[in-house]
Amino acid sequence: MRRRQFLTNSAGLTGVCTLGLGLGVSLSGCASGSDTTTLEVLVASYDKSVGSSIGDQWDGLVTAFEKAHPTVKIALERVPFDKLDRTLARRVKDGNAPDIAQSNIFAPYAEDEQLYGASDLFDIRTEADFTRSYAEAGSVRHIQYGIPFLASTPRLFYNTALFKRAGINGAPTSWDELLKTAQALKGIGVKTPYGLQLGPEAAEDETLSWLLADEGGYSGLAGYDFHTAGNVRTLTWLRDELVAKGLAGADPAGLNRTAAYEQFMRGTIGMLIAHPVLMGAADKVKFPYAHAAFPARRGGAAAPVGLSDWLMAFKQNGHRDACGTFLGYLYGRKSAKAYGGGQAALPVTSSASSALRADAAQRPLWKFIDQMPQAQFQPVSLRSWPTVRATIRKEIGAAVVKGGNPAAVLESLDTTAAQAEL
């Protein structure tokens, strides 16, 4: 999830999420006997603007956990985020899997029966507490293996000062309204009325938001299904109504999330899909903004996109009980609230969501939290998804540029997906 790159380039945004600091209660079986079990835990590290904060939180969490559970020690290994998936894949291939790892990818390891399922790690109460949409997204063959971590879901952010100048009252609630809003913004000289982020950093997220808003998506009951009448209609609308009319900037196929967020903060983008992390930068400089549900084509709120990193527990070292103890501590009801309340992470359990929803200090996150149960995900449970995702990032922008052929691009994606599934 490349959204973190915006944190790198935005002054004052420190801290991605807040991990539990000694507030948790283990809800799983503890390591037995008097022997000490050491768990190797592989996690992402970030640059200076983010890494020091999340690193301190991990350190505090580990210290508190080990004090509460003296028979389980944590050997924490940090890997730069952009190298995390490759590092994990290499270690697994070399027969040196960590006990617990953070990654964007879990399906290949689950299919190869290398992971413990959630029911192996958590008691029934804790397992059932995960927000269902995220638990289902982390499942392979109806068994949850991916444990959601650093979760998010985007909304439509808009510059309220520009809207006021253009005579626009509130966020658009349909595509017709979005089009009229973009035209009004262009009329007052806004360079990019709508920031269409189809560059390689976020293309798969932006595209899925639009497809879901027209009742489409990347897959059906039988697997990938890109070339559908609805998906063609969506991309054709983007090509003809936004891009061709100069309402999505000069190069939407090259617009990455990082650059889009920065342009929004400079006032050159009027509205865009964005994650809670954008609020931190905007609030710091008192930037005039608001956010709303992304509009469905015919009106109302579209199904939101869900995003998450994943934690997973490997079987190789046989440390099921100790893994369960540590993960139970992280996600137990007294500490799971810690996975929300940061501007880039939302809570992934129902109890934590309820706690934050009752906390007036967390009011800016309430609307994001409220839409999480309806979140729809990319097909992360398919082991071929990383290959297909890479192709989307490279090719989808070509569908909406002048002379683009949405049907041909979608057919090509189906071909890529079919080959990747072999």
Side-chain angles (χ1 to χ4, degrees):
M1 291 189 290
R2 303 284 298 281
R3 63 180 182 273
R4 298 179 186 82
Q5 288 193 6
F6 177 63
L7 297 177
T8 304
N9 299 317
S10 299
L13 274 178
T14 59
V16 176
C17 67
T18 305
L19 299 180
L21 299 179
L23 299 177
V25 176
S26 173
L27 296 172
S28 300
C30 297
S32 60
S34 58
D35 293 338
T36 297
T37 299
T38 298
L39 294 180
E40 296 183 6
V41 179
L42 182 72
V43 299
S45 66
Y46 305 94
D47 61 27
K48 184 176 180 180
S49 67
V50 179
S52 59
S53 178
I54 199 169
D56 291 344
Q57 291 155 17
W58 270 119
D59 291 342
L61 170 69
V62 168
T63 298
F65 170 78
E66 291 181 341
K67 182 178 180 180
H69 301 275
T71 62
V72 182
K73 302 299 181 183
I74 304 299
L76 196 68
E77 179 182 354
R78 297 176 175 87
V79 175
F81 177 76
D82 59 357
K83 298 180 180 179
L84 182 63
D85 292 341
R86 295 194 301 274
T87 299
L88 177 60
R90 183 178 67 251
R91 286 193 54 175
V92 172
K93 183 179 180 180
D94 292 344
N96 186 31
D99 294 290
I100 296 171
Q102 174 188 350
S103 181
N104 291 299
I105 300 165
F106 65 88
Y109 308 118
E111 288 191 3
D112 292 342
E113 300 183 350
Q114 296 173 304
L115 303 179
Y116 291 116
S119 60
D120 297 321
L121 302 166
F122 301 105
D123 72 354
I124 293 174
R125 185 185 186 193
T126 306
E127 183 182 2
D129 197 30
F130 284 103
T131 301
R132 180 173 296 277
S133 59
Y134 281 78
E136 290 178 348
S139 298
V140 174
R141 294 187 293 270
H142 307 294
I143 298 174
Q144 183 185 354
Y145 296 98
I147 305 166
F149 183 74
L150 297 182
S152 186
T153 182
R155 288 169 64 81
L156 181 70
F157 280 65
Y158 56 99
N159 183 320
T160 54
L162 293 178
F163 271 45
K164 183 177 180 180
R165 280 180 51 201
I168 305 164
N169 295 317
T173 59
S174 69
W175 288 12
D176 285 344
E177 289 186 9
L178 188 146
L179 178 58
K180 292 176 182 177
T181 298
Q183 291 169 331
L185 291 170
K186 184 178 181 181
I188 63 169
V190 177
K191 183 178 179 181
T192 305
Y194 179 83
L196 186 62
Q197 303 159 58
L198 296 182
E201 185 183 332
E204 71 276 16
D205 304 338
E206 177 84 24
T207 302
L208 184 57
S209 292
W210 284 95
L211 297 183
L212 290 173
D214 198 11
E215 301 180 354
Y218 290 151
S219 57
L221 294 177
Y224 294 109
D225 193 9
F226 288 98
H227 185 234
T228 65
N231 287 351
V232 172
R233 181 176 62 239
T234 296
L235 296 183
T236 300
W237 191 91
L238 289 173
R239 181 194 66 189
D240 297 344
E241 301 298 332
L242 283 188
V243 179
K245 294 178 179 179
L247 302 176
D251 182 25
L255 181 62
N256 281 325
R257 178 178 293 151
T258 300
Y261 286 11
E262 292 170 346
Q263 290 174 34
F264 180 77
M265 293 289 293
R266 292 199 299 266
T268 58
I269 286 179
M271 53 183 168
L272 78 171
I273 295 173
H275 291 270
V277 63
L278 184 54
M279 294 192 297
D283 292 342
K284 182 176 178 62
V285 298
K286 302 187 185 309
F287 186 84
Y289 77 96
H291 56 77
F294 190 71
R297 182 187 183 101
R298 296 179 180 85
V305 173
L307 295 173
S308 184
D309 283 6
W310 307 95
L311 294 180
M312 66 200 85
F314 285 85
K315 295 179 179 178
Q316 180 178 305
N317 299 318
H319 293 158
R320 186 190 71 174
D321 288 348
C323 287
T325 300
F326 182 63
L327 292 171
Y329 186 87
L330 264 66
Y331 290 95
R333 289 177 180 245
K334 291 188 178 181
S335 58
K337 179 182 174 181
Y339 285 91
Q343 293 292 356
L346 299 173
V348 295
T349 63
S350 297
S351 58
S353 294
S354 296
L356 284 179
R357 197 64 179 77
D359 183 355
Q362 300 295 340
R363 183 180 294 274
L365 291 177
W366 287 359
K367 293 296 185 181
F368 293 92
I369 293 170
D370 289 348
Q371 68 182 32
M372 289 180 72
Q374 290 76 47
Q376 301 291 312
F377 288 77
Q378 299 156 8
V380 293
S381 62
L382 299 176
R383 70 183 304 149
S384 58
W385 172 240
T387 299
V388 177
R389 179 186 60 191
T391 305
I392 293 173
R393 289 175 173 176
K394 288 188 295 185
E395 297 183 3
I396 201 66
V400 303
V401 299
K402 182 179 180 180
N405 188 332
V409 171
L410 292 168
E411 287 178 352
S412 176
L413 290 173
D414 272 330
T415 299
T416 297
Q419 293 173 344
E421 284 285 276
L422 295 177

